[in-house]
Amino acid sequence: MKIRSALTRFCFASLLGRTAAAMLSLLVLPSALQAQEIGKPQQLTNPDQTPEGLEKSDWASIRAAHTAWEHSFQPIEGGWQAR
């Protein structure tokens, strides 16, 4: 009986903790969304500029992958085609 009681308390505490975390995220998330509009494009005026929310190294990796994609060859019927 003691084991069952302890298990019940543990499950209730776990559920309570998850519920509290979910409620906290509902309170915090809207203010984070208001601070930075999601989906709104940023106008980068310089190729060395880094978008808000990204580290410079992350942006460099994204640009390198995009450049590699731009210069890649794609298979087509009868051969290959450069982008």
Side-chain angles (χ1 to χ4, degrees):
M1 196 67 144
K2 287 184 180 182
I3 294 173
R4 189 176 195 183
S5 175
L7 182 59
T8 302
R9 281 194 305 263
F10 173 75
C11 289
F12 179 73
S14 178
L15 177 63
L16 187 61
R18 286 189 302 236
T19 303
M23 292 175 67
L24 181 61
S25 70
L26 290 175
L27 294 173
V28 172
L29 188 59
S31 62
L33 291 176
Q34 290 172 357
Q36 181 181 16
E37 295 180 45
I38 304 248
K40 183 179 178 187
Q42 297 176 32
Q43 299 298 320
L44 303 179
T45 57
N46 182 340
D48 296 327
Q49 246 182 315
T50 303
E52 291 178 27
L54 288 179
E55 296 292 325
K56 192 169 186 139
S57 61
D58 293 335
W59 184 238
S61 297
I62 292 169
R63 289 193 47 94
H66 184 266
T67 300
W69 172 81
E70 279 185 316
H71 298 286
S72 65
F73 286 87
Q74 300 299 314
I76 61 169
E77 189 175 317
W80 294 85
Q81 178 180 0
R83 290 200 176 258

